[in-house]
Amino acid sequence: MRSAAFTDLTGPDGVSIVERPTPEPGRGEAIVDVGACSINRHDLWILEGDSAMVDPTDLPFVTGLDVAGVVDAVGAGVTDVAPGDRVLLCPNETCGTCRFCREGPENLCESFSLYHGGLAESARVDADRLVALPDGVDATTAAALPTAYLTAYHMLRRAETEPGDLVFVPGATGGVGVATIQLADLLGLRTIGTSSSASKLDRLADLGVDHTVQGTDPDDLRAAVADVGAPDAVINHLGGPYTGLGLDVMRRGGRMVVCGRTAGPTSEIDVPDLFLGHKRVIGSTMGTQADLTRLVDLVAAGELTPRIDRTYPLDRTGDAFARMQDRDTLGKLVVTMDG
């Protein structure tokens, strides 16, 4: 089988098409004929050598979390899926035995990790992590849901948002940002979205954003958000200086959920404002398999259409990462196996 492997951790030029043996399923596993797999900033960090989880000794390395396709074969003990089933992978990898695996939520697992291997024609996965795809939900659409939409949906839940709440989304034209805007609109929330690109903000209006602010400077954004109002919640996938910004603009008792570090791994905050304002900062990673099932149901019902910027055939996976690196996207980039 063909796979798009990282053969050098130097950026998009480090992607090569590599032939590998087609995997066989072990106990509890399934082999999925991959129809589509979206890529994420997580994958790009690995490709750029900016992730501690992969080093040159691990090469060639096949990434790809967001797998959608058809079950080809199953291993011993698998009863919930069968060959021919159309499925989407929940990329959570958990130990199954710790307190959080037993009591939930599963994404707090003490050994939490993520699946990699979807940028290939076949993928060996844990069968119990497969979510059934209803008729009418194609593989390309489904592959856009994890990681961005799952992360955004869980963040909105952790922020305890309610209809009518005002939500601030810095970097609203990134993958998690776009997903947050769409889901917030679906949930009856009002949003303030920011971006450095005026044209992207114009397109974001079609996805339901209520207020837009062009710019990246936290001081400028602080004033512009204040002109709209004090947000009830902040969905922060950027980290860095945007954490302090989020705390500054939130109302008393507001909640900020943080899931990323694109703008930097450390943040400075005003500690007195945090406790005197009864504000909360909440860390969040991915979501639960039940969250992903809910998102699939929303797509099947026609209530949610994930925004896909562009699709690429497997042999142009490097081009997909180059487009992500250029930050010229609005929505998901999806690699398909039928091109």
Side-chain angles (χ1 to χ4, degrees), residues 95-115:
C95 70
T97 58
C98 74
R99 166 193 168 190
F100 300 105
C101 286
R102 296 193 308 271
E103 302 175 6
E106 68 190 57
N107 57 328
L108 262 69
C109 171
E110 295 170 0
S111 301
F112 185 85
S113 187
L114 294 169
Y115 172 85

Side-chain angles (χ1 to χ4, degrees), residues 242-323:
Y242 295 93
T243 305
L245 168 65
L247 277 171
D248 289 346
V249 300
M250 279 195 306
R251 69 162 175 82
R252 291 179 63 81
R255 293 86 57 197
M256 175 166 54
V257 186
V258 184
C259 76
R261 59 168 180 90
T262 304
T266 61
S267 303
E268 292 186 5
I269 65 172
D270 183 341
V271 175
D273 179 55
L274 174 68
F275 64 78
L276 291 173
H278 298 268
K279 300 176 181 181
R280 283 182 280 165
V281 180
I282 305 162
S284 187
T285 297
M286 297 293 285
T288 68
Q289 191 159 328
D291 291 335
L292 184 59
T293 301
R294 173 60 175 152
L295 291 171
V296 170
D297 290 343
L298 290 172
V299 174
E303 297 181 50
L304 173 66
T305 302
R307 169 75 186 211
I308 296 173
D309 181 271
R310 189 173 295 186
T311 62
Y312 291 83
L314 183 66
D315 60 8
R316 290 187 57 206
T317 299
D319 294 339
F321 280 111
R323 184 168 176 82

